Amino acid sequence: MAENNNTGNDNGTDARSGADTGNGNDSSGSGSGAASPPTSRRALLLAAGSAGAAAVLSAACTAPAGTRGAAAMPSATPARPETAAATAPACVLAVEAGAGPYYLDLDLVRSDITQGRNGVPLRLDLTVVRVPDGCRPLPAAGVEVWHADADGDYSTGKDTFLRGTQITDRTGHCVFHTIIPGWYAGLAPHIHFKVRPDTRTETTSQFFFPENLLTHIYTHPPYAHRTPPQHPNQRDSRYRAAGKTMTLPLTPDSNGYHAAYTIGIT
């Protein structure tokens, strides 16, 4: 998919060439999926490596995987830039964001969401805790993620690649196996996520990536067949407003990367 020169919307929604954009609230996917109810909770994000989160993560394990797709393998293993990792803030209020026009309310309980999409592998470890209860781990919470592939395309209609849900285990922990997303439409590359602690409430936001890591990865296949933006993050007003809070701390992991984040809800 060719990149256009549109800039990101200031209202926290996705905008893509040839597609209707969201209005700041959760929107349905193209051709399917019902509109999601408005976010009714705010989230706290705590870096999993911080002292406050260490006790919470002491017994973390992988949530049930459900159905699993084929593992994604990069066409070439990128060398590691010296400053690939970012440092997440210890305890800050998350910046709420709409689900964008490519949200689909699908019941896809699985850990591996690649579904044959090639890209640099990413293991995403998420832990949900209840902040008012002393950061007590929250079991049985639904955690949903979705994002674009290496070409900047989302699955829509009957496609389900790079979408999935996990249910947190007794330690509040779940794992997603995916890839580093590509870029599109003037927006910073990102992963959407939604946390549902019960059937009535939810928190919706998105993760960003360190820009120096993105510019390095995008020079390798399968991303390199397009000309990447010189500054994939700084062109997006959402990243400029929330990047310090919402950027994943990434470390090299086998032939890809690993990120761990603790999401604290009220």
Side-chain angles (χ1 to χ4, degrees):
M1 172 179 175
E3 180 195 0
N4 65 27
N5 295 320
N6 294 336
T7 57
N9 293 342
D10 292 340
N11 57 9
T13 58
D14 292 346
R16 301 186 63 184
S17 177
D20 293 335
T21 60
N23 58 6
N25 296 323
D26 296 349
S27 303
S28 61
S30 300
S32 64
S36 178
T39 299
S40 57
R41 291 181 180 271
R42 292 195 300 171
L44 287 170
L45 299 183
L46 301 93
S50 68
V56 174
L57 298 178
S58 61
C61 61
T62 305
T67 57
R68 298 175 65 88
M73 296 296 294
S75 299
T77 301
R80 302 290 190 264
E82 292 183 1
T83 57
T87 302
C91 185
V92 295
L93 282 171
V95 178
E96 295 269 9
Y102 295 96
Y103 174 68
L104 299 176
D105 191 9
L106 301 175
D107 183 18
L108 292 172
V109 179
R110 57 185 182 177
S111 180
D112 190 325
I113 65 173
T114 53
Q115 203 168 318
R117 269 341 196 235
N118 290 327
V120 174
L122 171 65
R123 175 187 166 109
L124 183 59
D125 281 77
L126 300 176
T127 301
V128 181
V129 298
R130 187 75 78 179
V131 174
D133 295 339
C135 289
R136 174 178 58 85
L138 187 62
V143 181
E144 184 176 359
V145 300
W146 68 101
H147 63 85
D149 65 8
D151 291 330
D153 295 327
Y154 281 82
S155 57
T156 58
K158 295 182 179 180
D159 292 330
T160 58
F161 61 82
L162 302 177
R163 298 178 183 272
T165 298
Q166 282 284 273
I167 307 302
T168 57
D169 66 13
R170 60 183 179 82
T171 68
H173 180 238
C174 64
V175 176
F176 290 94
H177 298 274
T178 185
I179 62 170
I180 302 292
W183 72 92
Y184 65 87
L187 301 183
H190 55 278
I191 292 179
H192 294 278
F193 72 90
K194 189 184 291 285
V195 177
R196 293 187 176 96
D198 51 55
T199 59
R200 301 176 306 278
T201 55
E202 64 183 35
T203 294
T204 303
S205 193
Q206 57 197 315
F207 294 124
F208 298 108
F209 296 85
E211 185 167 80
N212 65 308
L213 181 143
L214 292 175
T215 55
H216 177 79
I217 287 177
Y218 290 163
T219 62
H220 294 78
Y223 309 89
H225 70 94
R226 298 189 294 156
T227 301
Q230 185 175 3
H231 297 290
N233 285 346
Q234 294 300 328
R235 61 194 185 144
D236 189 343
S237 61
R238 301 176 310 168
Y239 175 83
R240 294 195 299 271
K244 290 183 179 179
T245 300
M246 308 300 295
T247 298
L248 289 169
L250 296 182
T251 56
D253 180 44
S254 185
N255 61 338
Y257 292 91
H258 171 252
Y261 229 91
T262 298
I263 304 170
I265 65 172
T266 56

